[in-house]
Amino acid sequence: MSIKINYKSSFSKELSNNLVLFTNEKFNINNLKKYISSSEFSYIKDLLKSSDLKKNILDFDLNSKNKIILINIKDKSNSSDVENLGAELYDFIKINKILNIIINSKSLKAKPGRDFIGRFLHGLNLKSYEFNKYKSKKENKIININIHADKIKSPLHNKLKFKALEEGTFFARDLVSEPGNILHPDEYAKRINS
């Protein structure tokens, strides 16, 4: 599976039936009233009473086509916590076979640290790694992630920094995953130098 990320200042609910919203610690959803309808808010509020609030991600099926995914942001999150949340969302997406989602970054009430969305997506991208070079059946599915924000802040510097980290990590993982009869010392040196 590969990931395609789009930044949008406005979104249409028709683009995706899966909406990701961020909540405060312990799934306090009071700040989400402006992003969902009052009936959806009441429905989720009722379901939260019987949900396992120790999880980081909870999902609620509004109907057969619409799903709201809540991500719990702890008050004191460091950068690795944020990346782990992104990785956890990738696992959730893969298990539930979701191909289109909208992440509403406006639902972040208090931003835990600098470049939360960048670090969150970085964790998601790192988790998406698969070594399937020698598999006969390869999945060519694309997960479309639309990031909704007031002002599109995707600074080139941060994008390049995370992209460079991801490419380096994926390259190292590729080298580790290669069988010994393919990646012998000569081939290893050749790949490192290219």
Side-chain angles (χ1 to χ4, degrees), residues 57-116:
I57 297 175
L58 293 176
D59 66 307
F60 302 94
D61 292 325
L62 301 176
N63 55 43
S64 62
K65 294 183 179 180
N66 293 338
K67 181 185 291 264
I68 290 184
I69 303 161
L70 299 180
I71 298 179
N72 184 23
I73 306 295
K74 295 190 172 38
D75 290 336
K76 295 181 181 179
S77 296
N78 60 34
S79 57
S80 66
D81 293 335
V82 174
E83 290 174 13
N84 288 336
L85 274 176
E88 200 171 327
L89 179 63
Y90 178 79
D91 283 339
F92 176 85
I93 289 169
K94 190 172 180 180
I95 288 167
N96 292 288
K97 298 177 180 164
I98 297 172
L99 296 178
N100 294 301
I101 64 169
I102 294 173
I103 297 177
N104 189 335
S105 68
K106 292 167 61 175
S107 63
L108 279 167
K109 189 170 184 181
K111 295 191 180 185
R114 289 183 68 210
D115 195 26
F116 175 86

Side-chain angles (χ1 to χ4, degrees), residues 42-56:
S42 299
Y43 174 69
I44 292 171
K45 191 106 170 152
D46 286 342
L47 288 177
L48 277 172
K49 293 174 186 172
S50 61
S51 297
D52 181 7
L53 300 182
K54 292 180 183 173
K55 292 182 178 181
N56 290 322

Side-chain angles (χ1 to χ4, degrees), residues 3-21:
I3 296 173
K4 182 179 177 188
I5 298 173
N6 301 306
Y7 289 87
K8 306 216 181 249
S9 58
S10 63
F11 75 95
S12 169
K13 191 91 161 115
E14 290 75 43
L15 285 175
S16 172
N17 300 321
N18 304 298
L19 178 62
V20 175
L21 299 169

Side-chain angles (χ1 to χ4, degrees), residues 85-162:
L85 274 176
E88 200 171 327
L89 179 63
Y90 178 79
D91 283 339
F92 176 85
I93 289 169
K94 190 172 180 180
I95 288 167
N96 292 288
K97 298 177 180 164
I98 297 172
L99 296 178
N100 294 301
I101 64 169
I102 294 173
I103 297 177
N104 189 335
S105 68
K106 292 167 61 175
S107 63
L108 279 167
K109 189 170 184 181
K111 295 191 180 185
R114 289 183 68 210
D115 195 26
F116 175 86
I117 293 296
R119 288 182 286 127
F120 183 80
L121 294 174
H122 178 62
L124 193 140
N125 280 326
L126 287 177
K127 186 66 176 187
S128 72
Y129 172 82
E130 293 177 344
F131 185 77
N132 55 11
K133 185 175 182 178
Y134 303 111
K135 286 186 178 178
S136 56
K137 282 188 171 182
K138 296 179 184 176
E139 273 190 85
N140 292 329
K141 293 182 181 174
I142 297 173
I143 299 171
N144 291 303
I145 299 176
N146 294 299
I147 309 297
H148 174 54
D150 273 338
K151 296 176 184 174
I152 308 292
K153 286 188 179 179
S154 55
L156 184 60
H157 171 67
N158 281 340
K159 274 182 136 178
L160 292 175
K161 175 181 78 170
F162 288 126

Side-chain angles (χ1 to χ4, degrees), residues 150-179:
D150 273 338
K151 296 176 184 174
I152 308 292
K153 286 188 179 179
S154 55
L156 184 60
H157 171 67
N158 281 340
K159 274 182 136 178
L160 292 175
K161 175 181 78 170
F162 288 126
K163 183 175 173 134
L165 287 170
E166 290 160 12
E167 286 175 357
T169 302
F170 293 162
F171 180 67
R173 289 177 180 177
D174 284 345
L175 292 174
V176 169
S177 299
E178 285 282 3

